[in-house]
């Protein structure tokens, strides 16, 4: 008796890179993390063809993605590389990838930086200068008052604000819902910015959002009245760096993250304890506060002035 083998089922080719990226992003609950990863992974789908299989991803594809940030700062390079590595780890757990296309890429060592806190007097000049638009002055002041991450504040909707108690509900880096609080200067400006709006993004872009096409934002990112979209992080960062360049001794301008850094360092200089700073910053571990609370240039200048032997003494 002879045995006749039945033809096997053709093997499935697996999902495309674009489909796998979409599934990966949908699995991320933290909106800020998802938005950050999307920038990198959109680049990944752009360097591959629409029908390119995720199983066929190779180091050359990842190198082409990272080439866009070849001249960027180490922190920027590492951030985009982390997005690729996270996607790779997820794809391997899903048994979509058998190899690691990121194996030839290495994280860059960030150069040690000096005091990153912005002096209070220069911050006051930025916050109160009428030459800057109201939207920017509110954003900068709110970031400093709350010591929140820029992504958390830029993703705020009007419904998240509690104007009576001067607080806002934000989704933190790990996806937890938390509250940030602001002071009187922000409380005075915020109603002017809202102009009676009760829904939609707090910070709006200058132009109406496209209704269709590749750049059309999600419905939640559009103001229902003006049809303007949400202000993006790159645009907000550019405006702040441009506005602060004249006050920066290096003429490079400062970053939005330095407002958070400055707020925490100024609180540390004022004698706030580590647990108090942890409550303000919402860091999970006290050790994470180390780079924020190093007392820097202002403290050095004050100590030097107080110890100056030629300093005029108060008459008792």
């Amino acid at each position: 008796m002879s045995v006749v083998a039945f033809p096997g089922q053709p093997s499935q080719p697996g999902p495309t890179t674009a489909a796998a990226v979409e599934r990966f992003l949908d699995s991320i609950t933290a909106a800020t993390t998802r938005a950050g990863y999307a920038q990198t992974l959109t680049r990944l789908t752009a360097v591959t063809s629409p029908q390119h299989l995720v199983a066929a991803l190779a180091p050359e594809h990842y190198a082409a993605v990272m080439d866009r940030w070849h001249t960027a700062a180490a922190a920027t390079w590492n951030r985009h590389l982390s997005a690729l590595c996270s996607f790779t780890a997820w794809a391997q757990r899903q048994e979509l990838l058998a190899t690691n296309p990121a194996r030839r890429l290495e994280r860059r060592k960030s150069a040690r930086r000096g005091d990153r806190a912005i002096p209070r007097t220069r911050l006051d000049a930025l916050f109160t200068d009428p030459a800057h638009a109201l939207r920017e002055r509110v954003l900068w002041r709110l970031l400093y008052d709350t010591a929140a991450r820029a992504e958390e504040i830029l993703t705020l909707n009007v419904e998240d604000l509690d104007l009576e108690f001067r607080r806002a509900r934000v989704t933190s880096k790990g996806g937890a819902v938390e509250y940030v609080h602001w002071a009187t200067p922000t409380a005075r400006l915020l109603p002017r910015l809202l102009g009676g709006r009760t829904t939609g993004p707090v910070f709006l872009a200058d132009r109406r959002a496209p209704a269709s096409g590749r750049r059309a934002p999600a419905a939640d990112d559009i103001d229902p009245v003006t049809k303007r979209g949400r202000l993006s992080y790159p645009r907000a960062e550019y405006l702040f760096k441009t506005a602060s360049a004249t006050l920066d001794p290096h003429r490079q301008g400062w970053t939005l993250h330095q407002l958070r850094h400055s707020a925490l360092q100024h609180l540390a200089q004022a004698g706030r304890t580590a647990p108090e700073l942890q409550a303000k910053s919402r860091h999970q571990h006290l050790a994470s506060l180390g780079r924020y609370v190093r007392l820097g240039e202002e403290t050095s200048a004050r100590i030097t002035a107080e110890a100056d032997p030629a300093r005029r003494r108060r008459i008792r």
Side-chain angles (χ1 to χ4, degrees), residues 12-218:
Q12 296 296 322
T16 63
T17 300
V21 165
E22 184 176 357
R23 285 174 52 191
F24 170 65
L25 293 176
D26 287 343
S27 70
I28 301 174
T29 56
T32 53
T33 303
R34 184 169 60 249
Y37 283 5
Q39 182 185 9
T40 311
L41 297 177
T42 298
R43 172 72 178 166
L44 176 62
T45 58
V47 301
T48 59
S49 63
Q51 300 304 318
H52 191 278
L53 301 180
V54 66
L57 284 173
E60 291 74 17
H61 298 115
Y62 277 29
V65 172
M66 294 303 298
D67 187 61
R68 181 171 184 174
W69 297 285
H70 178 69
T71 59
T76 301
W77 169 277
N78 292 338
R79 184 173 69 250
H80 291 290
L81 180 56
S82 294
L84 288 177
C85 292
S86 295
F87 170 70
T88 301
W90 173 87
Q92 289 176 330
R93 289 195 301 271
Q94 304 298 317
E95 298 184 351
L96 303 177
L97 258 178
T99 62
N100 180 10
R103 61 184 180 271
R104 299 179 186 172
L105 298 169
E106 295 182 356
R107 292 179 60 85
R108 294 179 177 177
K109 185 177 181 180
S110 300
R112 290 187 62 87
R113 303 185 64 175
D115 185 10
R116 298 188 64 201
I118 305 170
R120 289 185 184 85
T121 54
R122 293 175 184 174
L123 283 177
D124 289 340
L126 278 171
F127 296 156
T128 59
D129 189 348
H132 304 311
L134 175 64
R135 179 189 65 187
E136 274 63 67
R137 287 188 286 127
V138 174
L139 174 61
W140 303 340
R141 186 80 222 194
L142 186 57
L143 286 171
Y144 181 76
D145 277 359
T146 61
R149 300 174 182 89
E151 297 94 335
E152 296 170 338
I153 298 301
L154 287 170
T155 54
L156 281 176
N157 290 328
V158 180
E159 303 94 308
D160 298 321
L161 303 179
D162 185 347
L163 299 179
E164 180 181 1
F165 291 97
R166 298 182 179 183
R167 64 179 187 171
R169 182 177 61 244
V170 300
T171 302
S172 68
K173 200 172 184 178
V177 176
E178 300 173 316
Y179 282 91
V180 296
H181 301 80
W182 58 80
T184 300
T186 297
R188 290 172 176 169
L189 290 174
L190 199 50
R192 290 175 52 193
L193 176 70
L194 299 178
R197 291 191 293 120
T198 58
T199 60
V202 173
F203 297 98
L204 298 174
D206 297 318
R207 300 178 181 178
R208 290 169 62 97
S212 61
R214 183 174 56 88
R215 301 183 62 185

